[in-house]
Each structure stands twice: as C-alpha cells, then as structure tokens.
Amino acid sequence: MSRPQQVQLSHGGGGREMNDFIHNLFFRRFENPLLKAEDAATFTLNGPVAMTTDSFTVEPLFFAGGNIGSLAIAGTINDLAMVAAQPKYLTCSFILEEGFPFSDLERIVDTMAEEIVPTGAQIVCGDTKVVPKGCADKVFINTTGIGEIVLPNVSASQLQPTDVLLVSRDIGRHGACVLAARESLRLESEIESDCAALWPIVNTLLNKGITPRAMRDATRGGLSAVLNEWCQSSNVQMRLDEQAIPVDTAVKGVCELFGFEPYDLANEGTFILAVPAQQAQDALSVLQVFQAQAAIIGEVTQGSPAKPILCSPWGSKRYLDFPVGELLPRIC
Amino acid sequence: MSRPQQVQLSHGGGGREMNDFIHNLFFRRFENPLLKAEDAATFTLNGPVAMTTDSFTVEPLFFAGGNIGSLAIAGTINDLAMVAAQPKYLTCSFILEEGFPFSDLERIVDTMAEEIVPTGAQIVCGDTKVVPKGCADKVFINTTGIGEIVLPNVSASQLQPTDVLLVSRDIGRHGACVLAARESLRLESEIESDCAALWPIVNTLLNKGITPRAMRDATRGGLSAVLNEWCQSSNVQMRLDEQAIPVDTAVKGVCELFGFEPYDLANEGTFILAVPAQQAQDALSVLQVFQAQAAIIGEVTQGSPAKPILCSPWGSKRYLDFPVGELLPRIC
C-alpha cells in the first residue's frame, strides 16, 4: 500500500484501511509484547495502583521544546508520578481531522514513542477516530495511564504546618512559550516549554528516602491553582517567599506584555512538592541535579483563611488567589 | 454561582471556574468513594486485568436509543466484557466546544451516570478541556477502563475448527439508526440503536459455565470486520448461514436505500461469540433470555484462505470481505 499523504475518513472507518493505518503508524512505533490487535490489553497488577486521564488539544501542535505528542506522554506520566506511582501502562486515543498531514502525524507519534522510553511505561492499547474536515482542529490526543504506587498517601490533603514547599525548576515556561508562539512574538531568546516526563526525578527522590506529603505538576492554573487547592484540601495556610520563586527573564517579559502573572501560567514538566522540614535540603539537592533552578519557595503554616500568602522582599504580603477567567485556552 | 447556560472557555482554564464546573457537573453525578479532586485515582488491583480506551465523536449526539454518553459507557464496558473482564474502573475525558449548551451536557452526563450502574463499574477520574468555537464539533468523550479478568485467554486467536459462532441479537442497528437520523429519514418504524453495556449478559454466560473462545462487539466495521479479524488471528475459515443472521426489516430497508450491507454496519451493543460446539445450545439459551433474536450463525472450519464464507439458502457461497472505504464517519 502506498503511504498516504493525508489522513482520510476511511482511516477511522473500521475496515481494511483503518487496519493498515493502525499497524503502519502505531504498532510499528509503539511495539511491545502487550500491544496486540485486540480491543483490550491484558496484564497483571498486584497492589495499590493509580489511574489518570488527560485529553490534549494544544495549539500550536508544535512548539519550542515539544509537541502535542510529548505533552500527551508527559502529562499522563506526571499525573501518576505526582502520587508516587511508577508509570506502567498507557493507552492513547487519537481524534484526527480529515486531511491532517500524515508527516505531522508521524512526527507526533515518533515523539510519543521516544518520550515514553525513559519512563519505563508502555503503550498497551489505543483508538483512532477520524472526523470530517472542520469537525476538529487537526488532532486531539487522549492518554490514560496506570501506575504502581511506590509510596502511599502522597496527597493534597496531607500537608502539615512546618512542611517546606519546593519547586522543581523555574515556572511559567509552557504557558509563556505557547503564548509567544501564538502571538508570533520575536523574542530575544526563544522560550522553551518545560514539557518533560517527571518520573525519573520523582523516582530519584523516592530512592533517596524523601517522603513527600504532596506533589503536583503545576499545569493549567499554574502554581496558584496548585497551592490554593492544597491549602483547601489540607486546611492550612502557606507563606511563600516571592523572591525565591524562580521565573526566567523572558517569561517575566511575556507576562508583563500580556498582563499575566507567572504564578498563573501553565507548566508541563515542573512540579511543586511539600516535604517534612528535615527533608527539605536533601530534596533540594536531588532536584538541583536535574534542574539548577529548583528552589525552596516557602512553608506550610497554620492559619485562616486556607490560602497561600505571597511575601515580597520589601515586607508586603498578599494572598495568591486562584486564577480566574479564560487564562489561555488550548494550552495543553 | 448561577448555573451557566453554555460551556465557556474558562470552564477548561484550570482556575476557579473550572473547579466549580467540575464539581457541579461531574462530581455530583458520578459520586463514589474513589472519585476525588486529585489528578489520579488510587485503588488496589490483584491479578490479571484488561485495559481499553475509546474516543467517541458520534454525530448526531442524541439518537434513538441513546446518546454519546451511553455510547461512551457502553463502548468501554463492552471492550472489557469481550475479554471476559469484569469492568471496575473508568476514566472519562471531555473535549467541549465553547458555547455547547449546558442542558445538553447535563443530559449526557446524567445518561453516563445511569448507564454505568448496572455494570458495577465506577468513574474514578476525569479531565475537561474546552476549545474555542469552531475547533471541535460540540463534544467528544474519551472513556478508558480497567477490569478484572474472570476467564483467561478469551481472544481472537483462540478459535478452533468446529467452534460454533453466535450473535447476541439482530445486527446493524446502530449504523442504520445514525444513518437514518443524519439523512432525516422518515421510516415507518424508527430504528433504535442497539447501544447497551454487555457486561450483564457476559457475566451470566460465564456464571453458567460457558467458556467462550472469543467474544467481540461488532462496532465499526460490523460483523464483517470482526469475523475477518478472527479468521486472520486464528488462521481458520468460517461457514456462515446467511439466512440465520438476524437483521431487522427496517435495517434491511436502510441498507438497500444506501447500498450498504448490514454485515458492515456498526453495532454498539451486539456481540459475536465463538464457543466450543457442545456449549452452543446453552450459550444460545442465555443470550435469548436477554434478546430473543440471538442466533447461531455458523461454525469455524479449517481451510484457506483465512476468511469467512457466507452461504446463501440457495446453496451459493461468497467470501464475506473486510469492509472497505469510508463507511460512516462519526458513527461512534
């Protein structure tokens, strides 16, 4: 069969063309012993597991530092890693617009196949739907994953006063990168998305004996949303050292230009963690092996209302609120 | 907060509005002890499991006998049931078009909440993305599920000559129903989709000691695709009694009108099973408790090429081929 140039409706029809399409595009690239031509994958699991799902609709599909494929792998791997679960099995489901260039699709699937390798997980089954031109914008991907929990009870509800808050690297990159790409900004230095699978970092933390109370990748809603959710779930306050929160100069520039706060911008490979105070320095050392900008940004305190408080270097204080409004549609 | 009339971009933004939206729309309806405001659900699994994923893009969203919500539950439950796995945990992920009427969304989510009850499964986590108007057509839903395997090795590759083939009810209803709805056909009797979750039937079969070689819901590609895949996977031939394959008169009418074969039309609550010959009558008895039109339609034979052969009542024979071409886009 000659290689098609564009996705056709028949590629999602359930007949011979779909069969060929799936084998040539996906089976070849995601090859592993569990991936078979059946409707369900089968394997064995024993003990506590975590399960998570995400659909990806990012626009543009390709951006500095990644594409919708790397995002789809990282996003689901990270949701598992954040509950201290070793990612094991992923499903992927594509909604394709008729006419989508086959070369772009191959590039995306190639990226997915590459990105999953260092996580140790496998893609075990999938689904493909093709909708007529105009019924979807190019491609949407859902990934759903299951992982084996290595450390129990890592949760937004486990924070305790005196716990120390850390961030794994500088914040706001993915949001600023996508915004810059959409606005075709010519920046002095291109902002690269932080898009990355976090399991290798989390695995190292756990192996070094760190026992996080909570971890969360700061995706839609950014740092602000995560910290507000944590305060509510654990009924605590937080004191954040504004100056300690790492933000790249170019990201700050984009924020000033568009009136965003870096705390509200999405990240796709940056996480916040809360650890018992005595583990803070060890956790920081591990994080800095992966990203030099990792930092201690504050601590959990008692108090009401259950909100994070941002403390400026000049002694002023303000609540860091939940982001409101439209923020950035199709950021992930 | 006043109830919104339409889905807004802020409902997918990751801020306060999304938080409220998710709690009011999904958490209320899908309530169960595992569904929490975390990125991943956690639970315990022991032993062999099955995992499957499907994205749903059906047009129209509402059709006789169901809607995209019932389809999303049935589709994933059925993929698990077909490998003899008891459905346990489902994720659901929504891609919503800005401006989609909130009342339609509530109706869909209500249906999902109802449909999952008799299957015994639970929705444990989800995701919501909102894309700007024109970037998606109303709503797409992904469901991914995991189930505990009750009987191992039920697979397309396990068929053996002399096995008997059965169908759980009359075929082609979902395809004909959607086609009729799209073409605004005024039929004498409305064709209702067969859309249904099959676990209760499969569970009964297994409890009665039936040990199917293979089961498959005949979705996209219909009966033709399933039987061709089975012949290839098990390297067998099949002899099908054309007259024994149940097709409703109204479905036949739609097929004649549009030049389709009922064997190629999608089903969403109809499955084919292959059982050892000595179990055929018992299996049929169970199926007929649920659907009177259930029937024995043929048998597995040795021979080459590995294709199903359709035998007419007048003694003529022809290969039942894999469907080709566009078939019906957005059928599920």
Side-chain angles (χ1 to χ4, degrees):
Chain A
M1 198 187 73
S2 70
R3 185 174 158 288
Q5 297 297 304
Q6 294 186 324
V7 173
Q8 295 154 17
L9 284 176
S10 62
H11 292 141
R16 188 191 302 277
E17 293 90 341
M18 183 170 96
N19 210 17
D20 291 342
F21 177 75
I22 289 173
H23 278 86
N24 291 327
L25 181 66
F26 298 113
F27 277 61
R28 247 188 226 177
R29 287 171 175 82
F30 295 155
E31 195 184 1
N32 68 65
L34 294 175
L35 184 63
K36 293 174 188 163
E38 305 259 358
D39 280 345
T42 57
F43 44 85
T44 298
L45 282 169
N46 286 304
V49 297
M51 189 176 190
T52 186
T53 189
D54 258 311
S55 286
F56 297 88
T57 63
V58 69
E59 159 62 29
L61 294 179
F62 299 91
F63 48 82
N67 63 47
I68 191 171
S70 41
L71 211 53
I73 297 297
T76 288
I77 293 292
N78 293 350
D79 282 347
L80 296 174
M82 294 300 102
V83 291
Q86 176 170 7
K88 296 289 285 182
Y89 308 108
L90 259 63
T91 64
C92 70
S93 176
F94 284 73
I95 297 174
L96 296 161
E97 185 186 15
E98 179 190 15
F100 185 63
F102 206 77
S103 55
D104 284 352
L105 184 55
E106 284 183 323
R107 210 173 133 202
I108 291 165
V109 180
D110 281 337
T111 305
M112 293 176 76
E114 282 160 27
E115 288 289 320
I116 203 167
V117 173
T119 72
Q122 293 176 317
I123 291 173
V124 295
C125 64
D127 179 51
T128 310
K129 296 281 153 60
V130 181
V131 298
K133 208 161 176 58
C135 293
D137 190 14
K138 298 188 271 290
V139 55
F140 301 143
I141 304 176
N142 176 279
T143 47
T144 301
I146 196 154
E148 291 176 341
I149 293 176
V150 177
L151 180 73
N153 297 324
V154 177
S155 156
S157 64
Q158 298 296 309
L159 273 69
Q160 295 173 21
T162 77
D163 283 352
V164 170
L165 299 161
L166 298 97
V167 64
S168 69
R169 60 169 298 171
D170 60 310
I171 63 164
R173 280 190 166 269
H174 183 71
C177 159
V178 168
L179 187 59
R182 269 191 221 161
E183 303 288 337
S184 302
L185 285 190
R186 295 206 169 275
L187 301 170
E188 277 179 42
S189 59
E190 189 177 49
I191 300 174
E192 247 192 30
S193 167
D194 59 314
C195 180
L198 295 168
W199 173 245
I201 309 184
V202 172
N203 194 25
T204 309
L205 282 168
L206 299 174
N207 285 337
K208 296 277 181 191
I210 305 295
T211 54
R213 309 278 195 200
M215 297 187 277
R216 190 72 69 88
D217 53 335
T219 55
R220 282 179 293 175
L223 186 78
S224 308
V226 173
L227 295 181
N228 272 283
E229 281 171 33
W230 283 6
C231 283
Q232 286 178 10
S233 293
S234 292
N235 196 26
V236 292
Q237 254 186 10
M238 289 172 182
R239 227 186 109 83
L240 298 164
D241 177 3
E242 188 165 11
Q243 212 170 17
I245 302 174
V247 188
D248 182 81
T249 317
V251 172
K252 276 185 193 153
V254 167
C255 282
E256 280 165 22
L257 204 57
F258 291 95
F260 283 108
E261 289 235 60
Y263 315 118
D264 294 353
L265 288 185
N267 307 270
E268 291 295 339
T270 303
F271 68 111
I272 322 295
L273 72 167
V275 298
Q278 69 275 18
Q279 295 182 3
Q281 284 304 327
D282 287 348
L284 182 63
S285 303
V286 171
L287 294 178
Q288 286 180 334
V289 170
F290 291 90
Q291 290 287 346
Q293 317 97 317
I296 290 173
I297 59 167
E299 61 170 343
V300 178
T301 59
Q302 274 182 314
S304 173
K307 279 186 169 189
I309 297 168
L310 208 52
C311 307
S312 84
W314 311 279
S316 69
K317 293 178 183 181
R318 64 177 173 106
Y319 290 122
L320 180 66
D321 275 316
F322 242 116
V324 290
E326 290 193 7
L327 301 170
L328 285 173
R330 299 188 66 187
I331 192 72
C332 61
Chain B
M1 198 189 73
S2 70
R3 185 174 158 287
Q5 297 297 303
Q6 294 187 326
V7 174
Q8 295 154 17
L9 284 174
S10 62
H11 292 142
R16 188 191 302 280
E17 295 90 341
M18 184 170 95
N19 210 18
D20 293 341
F21 177 76
I22 289 173
H23 279 86
N24 290 327
L25 181 66
F26 298 114
F27 277 63
R28 246 188 227 177
R29 288 171 175 82
F30 294 156
E31 195 183 2
N32 69 65
L34 294 175
L35 184 64
K36 293 172 188 165
E38 305 259 358
D39 281 345
T42 57
F43 44 85
T44 299
L45 282 169
N46 286 305
V49 297
M51 189 177 191
T52 186
T53 189
D54 258 310
S55 286
F56 297 87
T57 64
V58 69
E59 160 61 31
L61 293 179
F62 299 91
F63 48 82
N67 64 46
I68 190 172
S70 41
L71 211 53
I73 297 296
T76 289
I77 293 292
N78 293 351
D79 282 347
L80 295 174
M82 294 300 103
V83 290
Q86 177 170 7
K88 296 290 285 182
Y89 308 109
L90 259 62
T91 64
C92 70
S93 176
F94 284 73
I95 297 174
L96 296 161
E97 185 186 15
E98 179 189 14
F100 184 64
F102 207 76
S103 55
D104 284 351
L105 184 55
E106 285 183 322
R107 209 173 133 201
I108 291 165
V109 180
D110 280 338
T111 305
M112 293 176 76
E114 283 161 26
E115 288 288 320
I116 203 167
V117 173
T119 73
Q122 293 176 317
I123 291 174
V124 295
C125 64
D127 179 50
T128 310
K129 296 281 153 57
V130 182
V131 298
K133 208 162 175 58
C135 292
D137 190 16
K138 299 189 272 286
V139 55
F140 301 143
I141 304 176
N142 176 279
T143 48
T144 300
I146 196 153
E148 292 176 341
I149 293 176
V150 177
L151 180 74
N153 297 324
V154 177
S155 157
S157 63
Q158 297 296 310
L159 274 68
Q160 294 174 21
T162 76
D163 283 352
V164 171
L165 299 162
L166 299 96
V167 65
S168 69
R169 62 170 295 171
D170 59 311
I171 63 164
R173 280 190 166 268
H174 183 71
C177 159
V178 168
L179 186 59
R182 269 191 221 159
E183 303 288 337
S184 302
L185 284 191
R186 295 206 170 275
L187 301 170
E188 277 181 42
S189 58
E190 188 177 50
I191 300 173
E192 246 192 30
S193 167
D194 58 314
C195 180
L198 295 168
W199 174 245
I201 309 184
V202 171
N203 194 25
T204 309
L205 282 168
L206 298 174
N207 285 338
K208 296 277 182 192
I210 305 294
T211 55
R213 309 280 194 199
M215 296 188 277
R216 189 72 69 87
D217 53 335
T219 56
R220 281 179 294 175
L223 185 80
S224 308
V226 173
L227 296 180
N228 272 283
E229 280 171 35
W230 283 7
C231 283
Q232 285 179 8
S233 293
S234 292
N235 196 26
V236 292
Q237 255 186 9
M238 288 172 182
R239 228 187 110 82
L240 298 163
D241 176 3
E242 188 164 12
Q243 212 170 17
I245 302 173
V247 188
D248 182 82
T249 315
V251 172
K252 275 187 192 153
V254 167
C255 281
E256 279 166 22
L257 204 56
F258 291 95
F260 282 106
E261 290 236 58
Y263 315 118
D264 294 352
L265 287 185
N267 307 271
E268 292 294 338
T270 303
F271 69 111
I272 322 295
L273 72 166
V275 297
Q278 68 276 18
Q279 296 181 3
Q281 284 303 327
D282 287 347
L284 182 63
S285 303
V286 171
L287 293 178
Q288 284 179 335
V289 170
F290 292 88
Q291 290 287 347
Q293 318 95 319
I296 290 173
I297 58 168
E299 62 169 342
V300 179
T301 58
Q302 273 182 314
S304 174
K307 280 186 168 188
I309 297 167
L310 208 53
C311 306
S312 83
W314 310 280
S316 68
K317 294 177 183 183
R318 65 178 173 105
Y319 290 121
L320 181 67
D321 275 316
F322 242 117
V324 290
E326 292 191 9
L327 302 168
L328 285 174
R330 300 188 64 188
I331 192 72
C332 61

